[in-house]
Amino acid sequence: MSLEITINHVEQTKISSYDIENVGFGKVFTDHMFSCDYINGAWQNPRIEPFGKIELSPTLSALHYGQAIFEGMKAFKNNDGKVAFFRPLENLKRLNVSAERMCMPQLPAEIFMEALHQLVKLDAAWIPVQAGSALYIRPFMFATDDFLGVKQSETYKFMVYACPVNAYYNHFLKVRVEEHYTRGAKGGAGFAKCAGNYAAAMYPTMLAQKEGFDQVLWTDGATHTLLEETGTSNVFVITKDAIYTPELTETLLDGITRKSVIELLKDWDQNIVEKNISIDELIQWHNTGDLLEMFVSGTAATLTNIEMFSYKGIRYDLNTNIDLLSVKIKEEFNAIRIGAKADRFNWMIALK
Ligand code: COI
């Protein structure tokens, strides 16, 4: 396909209706959105239009059988007004891994990157600058066949929209270790960023939230004895000996923030270990005083500490009144993202 993107500008920006430095998370959207259609085996008609509702048929296969995948990524603006994306090619890679698992077409890099550059260039005024805020970008793809039977769709839509955001969590987290429900099973699609994974997590999350927890801390589906991730993020455990994070399996999301935390910790010569972490081990570390800190990592969640986890009805509190490593990591990420520190990992891609 040609990379010529048709652009239909808004008549009037709506930015003056908002204080974009104080918008919370996920409620305010920029002026424009990108769309592109997969028809007859090819991506076509790339376009940027005013952000708004789209017309869908009630028979749309994504609505019934869940062929729907998405990504979450961010763009930042530095003090000189320069804009850069954080590791967008990692999001593209993961989108295409999810697409393969959900039997959807691959998205070429040039469409993904051109959509990001042109959309964010148009809506750059919407990027908040205070630390912890960013322009959150949501690329997503869904099946669009009008057909009632269960089969892989022949047509798809890829879209991108963006929203200025502050922190997803503005407090430390209380999590409940899951003992019954399963997020990802062996041979399943836990590693894919597909809509169904989030839908299936909602009921157990609602039960946990009713009991006052913020999130479920998922365990492996086979034995419910190994830590996996929360409903919104990966998880890190810091002990006196090492920093641990569950090793990636087919049931875990390969988080880009997770990957970046690991790269940074290696650069800082920290003992970072990717391994199976059992709940028994976690409780033992807690009981012996070896457990120093736990935090979650994600694009939306950034780095957020866990202040308490619960297992079999017992609460395990963590001391968050210490020099938190998560805070140091977050500060380093922020410095790299806004250009205050050199991007020694080549994470940032400047807006063209
Ligand atoms: C993200 O971190 O980007 C996600 O997709 C998770 C969701 C909780 C917003």
Side-chain angles (χ1 to χ4, degrees):
M1 65 166 268
S2 146
L3 280 180
E4 205 55 42
I5 297 180
T6 308
I7 299 183
N8 173 13
H9 294 86
V10 287
E11 281 173 19
Q12 179 79 49
T13 174
K14 52 187 191 300
I15 196 167
S16 58
S17 315
Y18 304 103
D19 169 8
I20 61 156
E21 295 296 336
N22 296 293
V23 281
F25 192 100
K27 290 176 289 196
V28 170
F29 306 99
T30 69
D31 286 325
H32 297 93
M33 62 186 186
F34 172 89
S35 309
C36 188
D37 301 309
Y38 186 82
I39 302 169
N40 295 330
W43 288 105
Q44 36 196 284
N45 192 17
R47 55 203 183 274
I48 289 178
E49 300 158 302
F51 177 88
K53 296 195 192 313
I54 55 174
E55 196 169 285
L56 300 173
S57 164
T59 65
L60 192 91
S61 58
L63 296 178
H64 301 266
Y65 311 117
Q67 270 188 300
I69 58 175
F70 68 96
E71 277 300 317
M73 48 171 293
K74 281 178 172 169
F76 298 85
K77 193 184 271 183
N78 73 14
N79 294 338
D80 302 328
K82 292 207 177 93
V83 175
F85 301 101
F86 184 73
R87 311 192 77 174
L89 293 170
E90 292 293 333
N91 291 92
L92 172 66
K93 214 192 292 173
R94 192 171 61 186
L95 182 83
N96 280 331
V97 167
S98 302
E100 184 182 4
R101 180 63 182 83
M102 303 309 284
C103 219
M104 298 166 82
Q106 296 288 292
L107 187 83
E110 44 192 356
I111 300 178
F112 186 81
M113 290 309 297
E114 207 52 37
L116 293 182
H117 278 291
Q118 297 211 26
L119 181 66
V120 172
K121 193 169 178 181
L122 270 182
D123 289 347
W126 290 82
I127 307 177
V129 292
Q130 62 172 320
S133 299
L135 187 72
Y136 184 93
I137 302 168
R138 172 54 61 90
F140 61 110
M141 190 197 293
F142 58 96
T144 52
D145 273 10
D146 287 332
F147 177 67
L148 190 139
V150 182
K151 70 167 184 66
Q152 83 194 70
S153 182
E154 284 168 22
T155 61
Y156 296 86
K157 201 180 273 294
F158 171 68
M159 299 188 69
V160 187
Y161 68 79
C163 51
V165 296
N166 306 127
Y168 191 80
Y169 295 117
N170 52 16
H171 55 84
F172 293 153
L173 304 181
K174 296 179 174 61
V175 297
R176 190 181 72 181
V177 176
E178 185 56 56
E179 295 162 52
H180 174 70
Y181 294 99
T182 297
R183 180 190 165 277
K186 221 168 170 208
F191 64 88
K193 205 161 170 64
C194 58
N197 281 345
Y198 292 80
M202 282 179 192
Y203 182 70
T205 306
M206 180 271 289
L207 294 179
Q209 287 172 345
K210 266 190 176 168
E211 291 177 28
F213 297 94
D214 298 295
Q215 267 297 327
V216 168
L217 186 47
W218 290 103
T219 48
D220 68 294
T223 66
H224 294 295
T225 59
L226 302 173
L227 280 194
E228 293 217 314
E229 60 184 67
T230 78
T232 55
S233 47
N234 295 109
V235 63
F236 285 80
V237 176
I238 306 177
T239 70
K240 287 181 178 161
D241 293 330
I243 303 162
Y244 299 102
T245 190
E247 70 182 337
L248 293 180
T249 65
E250 61 189 334
T251 59
L252 259 81
L253 193 78
D254 182 2
I256 294 158
T257 311
R258 173 189 182 279
K259 189 174 294 190
S260 309
V261 168
I262 293 172
E263 284 176 42
L264 181 64
L265 291 174
K266 284 186 178 160
D267 181 70
W268 283 351
D269 287 328
Q270 296 286 314
N271 185 17
I272 165 77
V273 182
E274 295 173 71
K275 73 173 204 82
N276 279 341
I277 303 168
S278 71
I279 312 298
D280 285 350
E281 202 170 11
L282 184 68
I283 289 171
Q284 199 173 338
W285 286 328
H286 185 274
N287 290 346
T288 55
D290 282 319
L291 180 59
L292 301 179
E293 182 179 337
M294 285 175 75
F295 65 84
V296 302
S297 70
T299 298
T302 66
L303 268 65
T304 305
N305 281 82
I306 292 175
E307 65 176 16
M308 186 270 278
F309 68 89
S310 158
Y311 181 58
K312 292 193 191 297
I314 301 174
R315 289 173 56 123
Y316 298 88
D317 291 303
L318 284 111
N319 179 10
T320 48
N321 290 317
I322 55 169
D323 218 0
L324 295 167
L325 183 63
S326 64
V327 172
K328 278 190 212 140
I329 299 171
K330 205 153 53 168
E331 282 170 3
E332 186 77 4
F333 280 176
N334 285 342
I336 292 171
R337 283 164 168 167
I338 64 161
K341 272 203 171 170
D343 176 19
R344 58 195 187 283
F345 305 103
N346 291 322
W347 284 341
M348 306 307 294
I349 292 194
L351 178 68
K352 287 195 277 191

